[in-house]
Amino acid sequence: MSAALEYLVKARPEEMAAYFRFLKGAGRRLDPKTRNLISVITKVHAQTENGLRQYLKRALREGASADEVIDALLMAFPALGFARIVWAIDVILRMELPEFALERLAAGAPAGGAAPGGRDAAALAELPDPGTVRLT
């Protein structure tokens, strides 16, 4: 826990207790891995490095893979934006976690095509070329 959070717990114990009860109750229907992946995303959005480190370790401990963490970050692209995702990856790389080694990720990646259990909707060559589309 950060010094600031410890301060708030001491300065406003009732309010902070209510806040922590809210957080615990809000995620009670989610499994721990999912709760922690969501917390990773919220820490990236706020760009709190200590929080990202804390919840990333929790997510990994609860069974999230490096691929799932990266996928969660990319799925949150509309909210996070590219700069925050790159910031998060920089933090993760500085942590030197073996799960995120490129060799390990490449070894577990499918050799092309659909993901395990999934299927391609169409071959890329079969998709029509829409040309340039201008969005106004």
Side-chain angles (χ1 to χ4, degrees), residues 28-67:
R28 72 179 181 270
R29 291 176 187 86
L30 298 172
D31 63 89
K33 179 174 84 169
T34 302
R35 273 197 318 268
N36 286 300
L37 283 171
I38 292 170
S39 291
V40 165
I41 298 305
T42 65
K43 302 313 175 195
V44 172
H45 187 268
Q47 288 187 297
T48 57
E49 185 169 335
N50 289 341
L52 170 56
R53 289 172 174 273
Q54 175 185 357
Y55 283 98
L56 176 61
K57 289 177 186 175
R58 287 183 185 186
L60 295 171
R61 186 176 59 236
E62 293 295 344
S65 69
D67 283 316

Side-chain angles (χ1 to χ4, degrees), residues 98-115:
E99 297 91 330
F100 288 89
L102 280 178
E103 302 78 27
R104 180 171 274 179
L105 291 175

